[in-house]
C-alpha cells in the first residue's frame, strides 16, 4: 500500500511561507548592513594602502610635519589638518547659534503663514551645489569682507590681548575665517532642519504647562524644548560638523591654499579636502600621490572620530535619562 502525501492545511502552508519570507527578509537586511560595514572598511583600507608609501617614508612625522614641498619630495599633513579643524570649528561656532535661532523661530515664534516659505528657503539652501557657494564666496563675499569687515576687525580686535592674534592680519578677503563663514552658511540648512523637526516633536502639553506657570518663551525653549530634544540636537550638530570637515570645492575657492600655520584667522591656509582637490590630478610622483591618499585616510579618521564622539555623547545622555 503506497503512502500518499496529504497536502498541508492552508493555515500551515501560510505559516511555512511567512517563516520563509521572514528569513529571506532578515538575510536581505543583514546583507545590506554588512554591505555598509564592508564599504566603510574598504574605503578606509584603500586610503591606507594607497598612502602606504608616504607612511613608510615619513612615519609618524607625516602627521606632525608642516612642510609640503612637492619638488623636494617632503610632505607633512600638519597644515591641512590644522586648516580643516580650524575652518570646521569656525563654521560650527557661527552655525549652531543661528540654526538654533532659526529652528526656534519657525516652531515657537513665526506665524503660520511664514513658516512654510522660510522652511522651503532653508531646504533650497541645502540643495545648492557647493561649487556655487565657493564661487559666490570668492567673487562676492571675499571682496566685501576685504573692503568693509576685515580692516575693522584688524583695527579694533587685533590689539586686544590674547584673542587679538586671531583677528590681526592683512585684509586679503580669503583665508581661514572666510572659509569658515562659507562653511557656516552651507551647514546652517542641515542643522536648522534637524533642530526644527525635533522641536516639533515636543508635546504641546509640556510647553503649555510651562507657559501656564508664567515661563517666558526663552525659558520654555531653554528649560523644556532643548532638554526634551537634547540628544537629537547634538546628533544634528555633529552631522553638520561632519559636513564641514569634508567640504571640498567651496573651501578650495576661498581658503587661499597656502601651506602655513598662522594664529590669525585672516591669513590664508589650506585644508585636507582642498589640498587633495588641487593636487591629485597633477600628482605624477608616487610619493606625492601616496601622500595625498594618506591625507584622505586622515580625513576619514577625523570624520570617524567625530561621529564616534557623537555616539558616545548620545549614549551617555541616554544613560542619564534612564533609557
Amino acid at each position: 500500500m503506497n503512502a500518499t502525501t496529504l497536502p498541508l492545511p492552508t493555515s500551515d502552508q501560510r505559516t511555512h511561507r511567512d517563516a520563509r519570507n521572514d528569513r529571506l527578509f532578515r538575510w536581505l537586511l543583514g546583507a545590506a548592513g554588512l554591505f555598509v560595514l564592508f564599504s566603510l572598511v574598504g574605503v578606509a583600507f584603500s586610503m591606507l594602502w594607497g598612502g602606504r608609501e608616504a607612511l613608510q617614508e615619513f612615519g609618524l612625522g607625516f602627521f606632525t610635519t608642516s612642510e609640503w614641498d612637492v619638488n623636494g619630495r617632503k610632505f607633512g599633513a600638519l597644515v591641512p589638518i590644522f586648516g580643516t579643524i580650524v575652518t570646521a570649528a569656525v563654521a560650527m561656532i557661527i552655525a549652531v547659534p543661528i540654526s538654533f535661532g532659526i529652528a526656534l523661530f519657525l516652531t515657537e515664534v513665526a506665524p503660520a503663514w511664514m513658516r512654510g516659505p522660510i522652511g522651503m528657503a532653508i531646504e533650497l539652501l541645502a540643495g545648492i551645489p557647493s561649487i556655487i557657494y565657493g564661487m559666490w564666496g570668492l567673487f562676492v563675499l571675499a571682496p566685501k569682507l576685504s573692503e568693509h569687515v576685515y580692516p575693522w576687525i584688524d583695527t579694533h580686535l587685533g590689539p586686544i590681548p590674547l584673542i587679538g592674534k586671531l583677528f590681526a592680519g592683512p585684509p586679503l578677503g580669503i583665508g581661514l575665517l572666510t572659509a569658515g563663514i562659507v562653511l557656516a552658511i552651507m551647514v546652517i540648512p542641515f542643522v536648522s532642519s534637524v533642530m526644527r523637526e525635533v522641536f516639533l516633536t515636543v508635546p504641546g502639553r509640556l510647553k503649555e504647562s510651562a507657559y501656564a506657570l508664567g515661563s517666558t518663551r526663552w525659558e520654555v525653549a531653554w528649560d523644556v524644548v532643548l532638554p526634551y530634544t537634547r540628544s537629537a540636537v547634538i546628533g544634528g550638530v555633529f552631522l553638520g560638523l561632519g559636513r564641514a570637515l569634508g567640504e571640498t570645492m567651496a573651501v578650495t575657492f576661498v581658503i587661499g591654499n597656502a601651506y602655513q600655520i598662522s594664529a590669525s584667522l585672516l591669513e590664508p591656509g589650506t585644508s585636507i579636502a582642498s589640498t587633495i582637490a588641487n593636487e591629485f590630478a597633477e600628482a605624477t610622483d608616487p610619493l606625492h600621490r601616496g601622500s595625498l591618499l594618506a591625507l584622505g585616510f586622515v580625513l576619514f579618521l577625523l570624520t570617524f572620530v567625530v561621529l564616534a564622539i557623537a555616539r558616545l555623547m548620545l549614549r551617555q545622555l541616554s544613560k542619564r535619562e534612564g533609557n
Side-chain angles (χ1 to χ4, degrees):
M1 182 175 182
N2 295 329
T4 57
T5 303
L6 297 177
L8 294 173
T10 305
S11 59
D12 292 343
Q13 289 179 346
R14 181 172 182 179
T15 300
H16 180 72
R17 185 176 64 250
D18 290 344
R20 183 186 59 192
N21 292 337
D22 285 342
R23 287 194 302 269
L24 178 61
F25 184 64
R26 185 168 60 251
W27 291 340
L28 290 175
L29 292 182
L34 291 176
F35 173 77
V36 173
L37 181 61
F38 287 146
S39 298
L40 188 66
V41 175
V43 170
F45 181 76
S46 63
M47 293 290 102
L48 181 60
W49 181 257
R52 69 188 185 281
E53 187 171 349
L55 297 176
Q56 291 172 356
E57 178 71 20
F58 304 110
L60 293 178
F62 177 78
F63 305 100
T64 59
T65 304
S66 60
E67 185 177 7
W68 189 275
D69 185 3
V70 177
N71 296 325
R73 303 183 82 242
K74 296 180 179 180
F75 303 99
L78 185 60
V79 175
I81 293 174
F82 173 81
T84 301
I85 294 175
V86 170
T87 53
V90 171
M92 299 312 296
I93 290 173
I94 298 173
V96 171
I98 295 177
S99 300
F100 179 77
I102 292 174
L104 191 63
F105 175 76
L106 291 177
T107 56
E108 301 295 331
V109 179
W113 62 268
M114 188 182 295
R115 297 178 182 180
I118 295 180
M120 186 179 299
I122 294 174
E123 294 175 357
L124 289 175
L125 284 176
I128 296 176
S130 61
I131 193 171
I132 302 300
Y133 281 107
M135 295 176 65
W136 172 79
L138 179 63
F139 296 114
V140 178
L141 181 63
K144 297 298 182 182
L145 293 176
S146 175
E147 183 178 357
H148 303 290
V149 179
Y150 287 170
W152 185 92
I153 289 178
D154 182 34
T155 302
H156 294 83
L157 300 182
I160 299 177
L162 299 179
I163 66 170
K165 293 182 179 180
L166 297 175
F167 304 103
L172 301 177
I174 57 175
L176 297 173
L177 183 57
T178 304
I181 294 174
V182 173
L183 280 177
I185 297 174
M186 297 180 65
V187 166
I188 284 173
F190 294 92
V191 181
S192 60
S193 296
V194 173
M195 288 186 177
R196 181 187 62 177
E197 294 300 325
V198 298
F199 286 173
L200 291 174
T201 64
V202 179
R205 62 181 181 275
L206 294 181
K207 295 185 288 186
E208 293 171 359
S209 300
Y211 284 126
L213 293 174
S215 300
T216 63
R217 283 181 174 175
W218 169 251
E219 290 173 339
V220 170
W222 189 256
D223 297 328
V224 177
V225 176
L226 191 58
Y228 188 87
T229 60
R230 184 185 294 114
S231 299
V233 168
I234 292 176
V237 170
F238 276 91
L239 177 65
L241 179 56
R243 162 81 171 173
L245 287 172
E247 179 53 44
T248 304
M249 294 309 301
V251 175
T252 303
F253 272 90
V254 297
I255 198 172
N257 302 305
Y259 292 94
Q260 62 179 11
I261 294 180
S262 174
S264 175
L265 297 176
L266 306 184
E267 294 280 355
T270 189
S271 69
I272 296 176
S274 63
T275 298
I276 296 174
N278 284 325
E279 300 186 13
F280 199 84
E282 301 176 356
T284 57
D285 183 6
L287 184 60
H288 185 196
R289 185 169 56 251
S291 299
L292 294 176
L293 289 172
L295 277 181
F297 178 71
V298 172
L299 182 59
F300 178 88
L301 285 182
L302 282 177
T303 308
F304 181 80
V305 168
V306 167
L307 295 179
I309 292 175
R311 295 298 303 174
L312 290 175
M313 291 181 63
L314 294 177
R315 182 176 299 178
Q316 292 297 325
L317 288 174
S318 298
K319 290 181 179 179
R320 292 180 183 177
E321 295 170 359
N323 297 328

